[in-house]
Amino acid sequence: MTLNHRAPDPDWTSSSYSQSNGGECIEWAPGHARATGEFLVRDSKNPGGPRLRLTRSGFAGLVELAKRADV
Protein backbone atom coordinates (compact mmCIF):
# COMPACT_ATOMS: atom_id res chain seq x y z
CA MET A 1 0.00 0.00 0.00
CA THR A 2 1.40 3.38 -1.01
CA LEU A 3 0.41 6.49 0.85
CA ASN A 4 0.72 9.86 -0.78
CA HIS A 5 1.84 12.27 1.93
CA ARG A 6 1.59 15.88 0.87
CA ALA A 7 2.62 18.69 3.16
CA PRO A 8 -0.23 21.04 4.00
CA ASP A 9 -0.23 24.37 2.20
CA PRO A 10 1.46 26.99 4.40
CA ASP A 11 -0.30 30.08 5.69
CA TRP A 12 0.35 32.98 3.33
CA THR A 13 0.75 36.66 4.23
CA SER A 14 0.50 39.60 1.82
CA SER A 15 3.67 41.57 1.42
CA SER A 16 3.64 45.07 2.89
CA TYR A 17 5.01 46.18 -0.50
CA SER A 18 1.99 44.83 -2.41
CA GLN A 19 -0.27 47.41 -3.96
CA SER A 20 -3.78 47.71 -2.49
CA ASN A 21 -5.35 48.00 -5.98
CA GLY A 22 -4.68 44.32 -6.67
CA GLY A 23 -2.18 44.87 -9.48
CA GLU A 24 1.13 43.91 -7.87
CA CYS A 25 0.39 41.46 -5.08
CA ILE A 26 2.82 38.96 -3.70
CA GLU A 27 2.51 36.75 -0.67
CA TRP A 28 5.05 34.89 1.41
CA ALA A 29 4.83 32.13 4.00
CA PRO A 30 6.56 33.34 7.19
CA GLY A 31 5.72 30.24 9.24
CA HIS A 32 7.24 28.01 6.58
CA ALA A 33 10.37 30.20 6.57
CA ARG A 34 10.71 29.95 10.35
CA ALA A 35 10.26 26.18 10.29
CA THR A 36 12.45 25.34 7.30
CA GLY A 37 14.66 28.32 6.43
CA GLU A 38 13.11 28.26 2.95
CA PHE A 39 11.30 31.44 1.90
CA LEU A 40 8.31 30.79 -0.35
CA VAL A 41 6.88 33.64 -2.47
CA ARG A 42 3.85 33.50 -4.78
CA ASP A 43 1.56 35.70 -6.84
CA SER A 44 -1.61 36.27 -4.81
CA LYS A 45 -3.70 36.41 -7.99
CA ASN A 46 -2.54 32.89 -8.90
CA PRO A 47 -2.25 30.97 -5.60
CA GLY A 48 -2.05 27.60 -7.33
CA GLY A 49 0.67 28.78 -9.70
CA PRO A 50 4.43 28.65 -9.43
CA ARG A 51 6.27 29.64 -6.27
CA LEU A 52 9.70 31.06 -5.75
CA ARG A 53 11.81 29.17 -3.21
CA LEU A 54 14.42 31.54 -1.85
CA THR A 55 17.23 31.35 0.65
CA ARG A 56 17.32 33.91 3.46
CA SER A 57 19.78 36.07 1.50
CA GLY A 58 17.72 35.73 -1.69
CA PHE A 59 14.59 36.85 0.16
CA ALA A 60 16.49 39.78 1.72
CA GLY A 61 17.58 40.80 -1.79
CA LEU A 62 13.98 40.67 -3.02
CA VAL A 63 12.88 42.89 -0.13
CA GLU A 64 15.66 45.40 -0.90
CA LEU A 65 14.60 45.46 -4.54
CA ALA A 66 11.00 46.16 -3.51
CA LYS A 67 12.15 48.99 -1.22
CA ARG A 68 14.11 50.66 -4.03
CA ALA A 69 11.23 50.28 -6.50
CA ASP A 70 8.82 51.86 -4.01
CA VAL A 71 10.71 55.20 -4.01
Side-chain angles (χ1 to χ4, degrees):
M1 175 181 212
T2 303
L3 297 175
N4 185 5
H5 293 286
R6 183 172 177 212
D9 201 34
D11 290 328
W12 294 92
T13 301
S14 291
S15 166
S16 60
Y17 291 96
S18 292
Q19 304 296 319
S20 60
N21 63 8
E24 300 172 354
C25 301
I26 64 166
E27 296 176 322
W28 73 295
H32 181 84
R34 280 190 299 275
T36 66
E38 176 183 68
F39 290 72
L40 299 178
V41 179
R42 72 178 183 183
D43 181 347
S44 64
K45 296 176 302 305
N46 186 12
R51 300 172 181 177
L52 292 176
R53 296 178 186 271
L54 303 170
T55 62
R56 179 178 300 279
S57 63
F59 186 73
L62 180 63
V63 170
E64 284 303 313
L65 178 66
K67 286 179 180 179
R68 287 194 305 268
D70 193 41
V71 176

